[in-house]
Amino acid sequence: MKSKLLATFNFYKTAILPVFLLLCFQAFAQQPQINAEIDSSAIKIGEQVIFSIEVETDSTDLVVFPEGQTFDPMEMVESLGADTTTVEDRFRLIKKYSLTQFDSGAYTIPQQKVIIQNREYLTDSFRVEVADVKVDTTRQKMYPIKPAVDVPKPFSIPNWVWWLLAALAILGLAFYFFRRRKKRKEAEPELPPYEQAMFELKQLDNSSLLQDREIKEYYSQLTFIVRKYLDRKIYDRALESTTSELIVYLELRKQSGELSLKNKSIDNLQQILKRGDLAKFANSRPDVITAKSDRTKVEHLIKDIRQVVPEPTEEELMQDENYRKEKLKRKRRNKILAIIGGVLVLGIIIIAVLVNTRGFDYVKDSVLGNETKELLEGDWIRSEYGTPPVTITTPEVLVRKAVERDDELQEMLLGSETFDAGTLEGNLYTLLITGPVNPEGDFDLQKAVDGIYENLEGQGARNIIMKEEEFSTINNAEGIKVFGTFYLENPITGGPIKKEYVILNFGENSGFQQIMVVFDEDDEYAEEISQRIENSVQLKNQAN
């Protein structure tokens, strides 16, 4: 019996126990594993410490990291993105936070809550020492605090200016349409004086002014009708003359024998005009019967004048027609001058606004034109040049040209091709040289770069300043960039022109490639063109 129990125990020990331990290990392995750490436990004021949380869990689990200012008393500066890596069938996520503190002392980063599949886990807490920045006042000279400096405000157009411009524009449009309407009305053909006066009297009869007791308006229209008729037939200033002036003029004409008008007609006219003046300016209110009587007297007066005033001769009609044409020409000329003046004022306002908002150079280049600005904003050409091939984008097509090379460069190359656009004295000059290296020669890229100085001097450059740095193209071809300034003589004035230049040098694909861009100093458009050309250089592998 004892031996049987011992055998059973050994069976469980050797068979069942390992399976049980394996299942426990797998269950433990499937649990999420969380680890937190900081890259430094001691920093200075304003420095940053990186707090990292590492989570290893199943690939199907949803993980939510802490967000916001949960690190108080430490201040979170930035929450960096989470990095994810795969470990067999599990994910390992690393989330980093940048923390800082601007007061010295010892601070504890509290435990952070990480949620995995709706279950919360807490990280460890960490202690961080924040130290003061020591200042050695024995060596560092101290200066008194400088007083506040009044910084001039940048120029800005007040809001009321824009409202004023808008109001002027609205008034201008209103005036334009009013004048246009008035011109159309004046352009309508007018009836002869007598027919026009009878037509207007009939319109006055059809109005309801008398029924509405609008005596003042009634007499205004009635006196205007008779004055207008007199203006067209007898006295061309009848409309703007006073009553007494008009009557005196008619009596003088009658006394001189030029106008055979009855005294009663003149008296009736004087009474009507005075009654109208009283109604218009003294609030006098004649009765309706008197108003109708005055209307009848006006009609008789117009008929009397028609009989005594002879019809104008053909010569008078021609003179009147010429006068009207001349008057119409003057009106048209004044209208054209007004339009031109308005356009000029509007142009000045627009230019002033653009100068204050965009700058004088922008306005000058936009109005007067700028060669390099037009090249920059025009259509660019991307092309491949020479052998070994050089692909480059330029505002103008580079044209092949023949040039002589110095003996040292000729010995290093089997031959070369040269392409350029523009002139060295112009606003922009672009040069491209490419050629295969002589396999029997001793080609040295640095030696070719050193010859640039002599080459520029040979072209008339003076006071050359050269700087040098490494350069890499968009397809990772390594080369040497030489840049700086030099002076060139102006062929027209003889004065100096200060130029900037950029020269890229390469020794790729068993060849030598050189790209040079020269432009006027302080020409921002040419400088941008140079940058675009540099960024577009690509050395194509001949094997491709």
Side-chain angles (χ1 to χ4, degrees):
M1 184 66 180
K2 184 177 180 180
S3 61
K4 186 175 181 181
L5 290 173
L6 183 60
T8 303
F9 175 76
N10 290 334
F11 172 75
Y12 279 105
K13 180 179 179 181
T14 57
I16 302 301
L17 184 60
V19 174
F20 176 76
L21 292 175
L22 179 61
L23 292 175
C24 290
F25 176 77
Q26 290 179 347
F28 175 77
Q30 292 177 356
Q31 291 294 322
Q33 299 179 20
I34 302 175
N35 181 39
E37 63 179 10
I38 56 176
D39 64 342
S40 177
S41 60
I43 61 174
K44 294 180 181 180
I45 290 178
E47 288 185 342
Q48 297 180 7
V49 59
I50 302 299
F51 181 88
S52 303
I53 301 177
E54 181 179 330
V55 176
E56 186 174 330
T57 184
D58 190 76
S59 60
T60 59
D61 291 345
L62 176 64
V63 180
V64 180
F65 289 101
E67 291 295 338
Q69 297 294 345
T70 62
F71 301 91
D72 190 62
M74 299 293 288
E75 180 181 344
M76 186 181 73
V77 178
E78 184 179 9
S79 175
L80 305 176
D83 295 331
T84 305
T85 57
T86 304
V87 181
E88 296 180 353
D89 60 342
R90 294 166 67 82
F91 277 167
R92 177 179 295 166
L93 296 90
I94 301 176
K95 176 72 172 179
K96 295 183 178 181
Y97 303 87
S98 178
L99 311 178
T100 189
Q101 177 57 247
F102 295 97
D103 289 327
S104 61
Y107 300 93
T108 300
I109 301 176
Q111 292 179 312
Q112 298 299 306
K113 185 189 298 183
V114 181
I115 301 175
I116 304 175
Q117 288 296 100
N118 297 324
R119 184 176 177 182
E120 296 181 355
Y121 298 86
L122 295 176
T123 66
D124 295 334
S125 60
F126 297 90
R127 185 178 179 84
V128 179
E129 297 284 343
V130 181
D132 282 326
V133 178
K134 295 182 180 181
V135 179
D136 188 355
T137 59
T138 61
R139 297 183 179 180
Q140 176 68 38
K141 186 177 180 181
M142 304 301 290
Y143 298 92
I145 298 175
K146 292 186 176 181
V149 178
D150 293 332
V151 179
K153 294 182 179 180
F155 177 81
S156 60
I157 300 177
N159 292 331
W160 65 265
V161 174
W162 301 111
W163 287 108
L164 178 62
L165 291 176
L168 290 175
I170 294 173
L171 289 175
L173 289 174
F175 178 75
Y176 169 75
F177 287 113
F178 173 76
R179 292 280 297 176
R180 185 178 180 184
R181 181 181 178 184
K182 186 177 179 181
K183 292 290 184 182
R184 285 183 176 180
K185 190 174 181 180
E186 292 177 353
E188 294 177 358
E190 197 172 27
L191 295 173
Y194 176 78
E195 285 78 4
Q196 183 69 28
M198 293 297 104
F199 174 74
E200 290 176 353
L201 286 174
K202 188 175 181 180
Q203 283 186 322
L204 184 62
D205 294 338
N206 294 332
S207 69
S208 59
L209 294 177
L210 289 180
Q211 290 82 347
D212 298 337
R213 296 298 188 270
E214 297 287 344
I215 302 299
K216 178 180 178 179
E217 180 62 25
Y218 184 86
Y219 268 94
S220 294
Q221 294 189 21
L222 182 63
T223 55
F224 179 78
I225 291 171
V226 67
R227 280 177 175 274
K228 184 179 179 180
Y229 181 75
L230 292 171
D231 183 85
R232 298 180 65 183
K233 292 292 293 183
I234 299 176
Y235 184 34
D236 58 0
R237 297 183 61 185
L239 288 173
E240 58 264 26
S241 298
T242 62
T243 299
S244 58
E245 290 174 347
L246 180 57
I247 297 302
V248 168
Y249 177 80
L250 293 176
E251 290 178 346
L252 290 175
R253 290 284 300 272
K254 183 177 183 305
Q255 293 175 4
S256 63
E258 298 177 7
L259 183 65
S260 58
L261 196 62
K262 299 178 181 179
N263 291 330
K264 184 179 180 181
S265 298
I266 297 177
D267 293 339
N268 289 337
L269 175 63
Q270 185 176 10
Q271 292 176 3
I272 294 170
L273 293 178
K274 286 184 176 181
R275 196 174 290 122
D277 292 340
L278 292 173
K280 290 186 289 184
F281 306 113
N283 291 326
S284 175
R285 296 180 61 84
D287 57 80
V288 175
I289 296 176
T290 303
K292 289 183 178 180
S293 175
D294 288 341
R295 182 257 180 248
T296 303
K297 292 178 181 179
V298 166
E299 182 176 353
H300 290 313
L301 176 63
I302 292 174
K303 290 179 179 180
D304 291 343
I305 293 174
R306 184 189 183 193
Q307 293 178 358
V308 300
V309 176
E311 293 296 326
T313 63
E314 187 70 22
E315 184 179 355
E316 292 175 341
L317 290 175
M318 288 300 296
Q319 290 179 353
D320 186 61
E321 183 67 21
N322 294 333
Y323 171 77
R324 290 185 180 182
K325 288 182 179 179
E326 184 65 26
K327 188 176 181 181
L328 182 61
K329 286 182 180 180
R330 286 200 301 270
K331 287 183 177 180
R332 288 177 179 175
R333 184 167 61 251
N334 293 337
K335 183 178 180 180
I336 293 173
L337 292 176
I339 293 175
I340 294 174
V343 171
L344 289 176
V345 172
L346 182 61
I348 292 172
I349 294 174
I350 293 174
I351 291 174
V353 172
L354 288 175
V355 168
N356 288 301
T357 55
R358 304 297 295 273
F360 176 77
D361 291 337
Y362 174 84
V363 177
K364 176 177 67 68
D365 295 337
S366 300
V367 176
L368 302 180
N370 184 290
E371 183 179 348
T372 51
K373 182 175 183 290
E374 294 172 1
L375 289 175
L376 177 63
E377 297 175 351
D379 295 330
W380 284 51
I381 299 97
R382 185 166 183 82
S383 185
E384 184 179 287
Y385 299 91
T387 304
V390 178
T391 303
I392 190 173
T393 303
T394 55
E396 295 180 299
V397 177
L398 304 184
V399 180
R400 185 188 299 272
K401 65 179 295 187
V403 295
E404 296 183 0
R405 300 289 171 209
D406 56 78
D407 297 337
E408 188 174 8
L409 187 60
Q410 286 295 105
E411 291 178 0
M412 292 190 292
L413 302 177
L414 290 177
S416 63
E417 299 173 272
T418 303
F419 308 84
D420 72 347
T423 61
L424 195 63
E425 297 81 8
N427 295 342
L428 181 70
Y429 178 61
T430 308
L431 176 72
L432 187 149
I433 302 171
T434 181
V437 172
N438 186 355
E440 299 179 358
D442 184 16
F443 177 75
D444 185 356
L445 181 60
Q446 186 61 50
K447 187 181 296 185
V449 171
D450 294 339
I452 292 176
Y453 189 92
E454 296 180 1
N455 188 18
L456 290 174
E457 278 194 330
Q459 299 184 63
R462 298 292 181 269
N463 300 330
I464 303 172
I465 298 177
M466 297 184 66
K467 300 179 183 179
E468 185 178 314
E469 63 181 25
E470 295 181 354
F471 182 83
S472 178
T473 65
I474 55 176
N475 61 339
N476 299 321
E478 300 294 334
I480 299 175
K481 176 180 176 180
V482 178
F483 59 98
T485 60
F486 63 83
Y487 284 91
L488 199 68
E489 181 180 348
N490 191 321
I492 299 176
T493 64
I497 309 174
K498 192 170 185 180
K499 296 283 187 177
E500 292 187 38
Y501 68 92
V502 175
I503 305 176
L504 306 179
N505 305 272
F506 303 94
E508 296 288 325
N509 302 327
S510 301
F512 171 67
Q513 302 87 15
Q514 186 179 81
I515 300 98
M516 180 171 69
V517 181
V518 181
F519 53 92
D520 291 342
E521 189 185 36
D522 299 330
D523 188 339
E524 57 181 6
Y525 304 113
E527 187 174 356
E528 187 174 347
I529 291 174
S530 177
Q531 287 289 337
R532 286 183 61 177
I533 292 175
E534 290 179 44
N535 297 333
S536 71
V537 175
Q538 186 173 356
L539 304 182
K540 185 176 180 182
N541 196 324
Q542 289 180 316
N544 292 340

